[in-house]
Amino acid sequence: PVGLFAVFECGMLGLKCHVVDALAAPGGQCSALYPEKPIYDIPGHPTIEASELVRRLEEQAAPFGPHYHFDQQVERLARHEDGLFRIETAHGTAIDAHAVIIAAGVGAFGPNRPPLAGLEAYEGKSVFYMVTRREAFRGQRVMIAGGGDSAVDWAISLADVAARVMVVHRRPKFRAAPESAARLDALAQAGRIDLVIPYQLHGLEGTDGKLAAVTVADLNGGTKRIETDVLLPFFGLSMNLGPIAQWGLALDRHHVAVAPATEPLWTVMVATPFVVWASYSPLSPDCCTALPDESSTASAPQLLESSSTASELFATTLPFASTSETVTVCVETPFATIDLGAEMVTPVTEP
């Protein structure tokens, strides 16, 4: 969603965008992993499904005519002597751009699978790592394993359609938003959700990929059998930056490292909940902070319009929406400080 909002923000500044995505449709994880998952931290929306958020962001960006390149992964990012960037995809598409906004999230992702014997036989039939259509679970006995936001949010959502929802977690405390955890507890007390605590997955029982029951084990090795139609293991995602790791960017634990007020990152603006920002790095990884911060990031390429050549970039100081801090996003000779509030350019002798 952050990349789509970047298209809108750039469009408002008169900039044209090419959007490259390895997936077949826009929206990233919101589209690929949980299109029907309710999201609660978007300003102006007490709750909105992920697919609806993506649809509205597409609609918001549409007037600016973005060029989409789906099913393509960017393999190479290089800088020309004239200051332009060359982006090349695995399909041979080549794009020259004045600025690049990286909104790649955590890169390529896949589910963390539980270590259960015979798991592969059930995957895609009665074991799923994402929910793409909530109605598919109507009237079924659904077991959810995990203790994070996805496990808690889907337990709450599926309680309205499933015959029974069981949440397996190894400890009483959940790593979810406090309000969501409180709602889960309330549903459990009302008898609408069964909390299977402290237990963890131990084994699967069924035939031809159709589950009949799941065996869970407590911390002392004691086991019990629970009749189950569907298992949803939500143990997070394994992340891989892929080609991004080979682009020569400063990386810190698989994140792009950006010093808030000093170090340049070529002229690449970074704006995403997980690949750390080029605007203000100490942010929490959620859309609530990602979307407004994208507004500041998108302002930087506009300054290229005042350049007489593509190589004349500027040290850009942008105010962050919710803090008094200002940060340098891109640096290139000739050095200058941009005062957006006063709309003036003041040359300086040092970056």
Side-chain angles (χ1 to χ4, degrees):
V2 179
L4 288 173
F5 191 63
V7 174
F8 165 75
E9 287 291 341
C10 288
M12 291 293 289
L13 299 173
L15 304 176
K16 294 295 183 181
C17 292
H18 285 256
V19 181
V20 183
D21 200 312
L23 299 177
Q29 293 184 30
C30 286
S31 296
L33 297 184
Y34 43 82
E36 292 190 355
K37 179 182 177 181
I39 300 176
Y40 302 104
D41 59 357
I42 302 300
H45 297 278
T47 180
I48 183 171
E49 287 189 355
S51 60
E52 178 64 10
L53 172 63
V54 172
R55 187 192 68 78
R56 294 192 183 190
L57 287 169
E58 283 188 272
E59 182 180 345
Q60 189 178 31
F64 303 107
H67 300 276
Y68 291 106
H69 306 272
F70 295 123
D71 277 323
Q72 299 191 51
Q73 184 178 52
V74 175
E75 294 286 340
R76 286 173 293 277
L77 172 64
R79 188 181 189 180
H80 292 308
E81 292 182 359
D82 62 4
L84 287 176
F85 289 99
R86 166 61 64 94
I87 298 97
E88 297 179 2
T89 75
H91 288 189
T93 301
I95 304 168
D96 291 324
H98 290 288
V100 177
I101 297 178
I102 300 177
V106 289
F109 50 84
N112 289 321
R113 294 173 167 83
L116 299 174
L119 177 66
E120 296 80 3
Y122 297 94
E123 290 178 325
K125 299 178 180 179
S126 51
V127 174
F128 305 94
Y129 300 102
M130 64 189 77
V131 177
T132 57
R133 194 171 67 88
R134 193 176 67 146
E135 276 297 312
F137 303 105
R138 181 172 292 279
Q140 300 200 59
R141 298 165 297 182
V142 178
M143 176 177 289
I144 296 175
D149 285 303
S150 291
V152 172
D153 290 344
W154 276 120
I156 294 171
S157 179
L158 292 175
D160 292 332
V161 298
R164 182 183 180 193
V165 174
M166 301 151 283
V167 180
V168 178
H169 191 38
R170 65 182 184 275
R171 59 195 182 104
K173 186 176 179 59
F174 287 86
R175 305 180 312 279
E179 175 61 24
S180 298
R183 292 178 62 189
L184 181 73
D185 286 338
L187 288 171
Q189 292 176 14
R192 298 180 58 194
I193 291 177
D194 297 333
L195 297 181
V196 186
I197 298 171
Y199 282 89
Q200 51 193 356
L201 300 178
H202 183 71
L204 304 176
E205 179 184 323
T207 57
D208 298 327
K210 182 176 178 57
L211 271 178
V214 174
T215 302
V216 296
D218 61 25
L219 302 182
N220 297 319
T223 63
K224 67 177 179 179
R225 178 182 181 274
I226 302 176
E227 294 184 350
T228 306
D229 299 312
V230 175
L231 173 63
L232 302 176
F234 291 132
F235 296 128
L237 302 170
S238 58
M239 313 302 177
N240 182 4
L241 283 178
I244 294 177
Q246 309 302 320
W247 293 349
L249 307 179
L251 298 179
D252 179 15
R253 290 175 296 180
H254 305 291
H255 291 68
V256 177
V258 180
T262 55
E263 297 295 330
L265 178 67
W266 290 1
T267 50
V268 181
M269 277 61 70
V270 180
T272 177
F274 294 98
V275 175
V276 181
W277 332 84
S279 46
Y280 188 72
S281 56
L283 297 179
S284 59
D286 55 44
C287 288
C288 186
T289 53
L291 297 181
D293 194 59
E294 181 57 38
S295 177
S296 293
T297 303
S299 299
Q302 184 195 31
L303 299 168
L304 299 174
E305 300 298 320
S306 63
S307 306
S308 59
T309 68
S311 62
E312 293 181 359
L313 311 183
F314 297 94
T316 308
T317 301
L318 301 176
F320 178 54
S322 62
T323 179
S324 60
E325 296 285 348
T326 57
V327 300
T328 298
V329 181
C330 56
V331 177
E332 179 61 54
T333 56
F335 298 121
T337 298
I338 310 300
D339 184 341
L340 294 181
E343 296 184 353
M344 60 183 293
V345 178
T346 306
V348 294
T349 57
E350 296 180 350

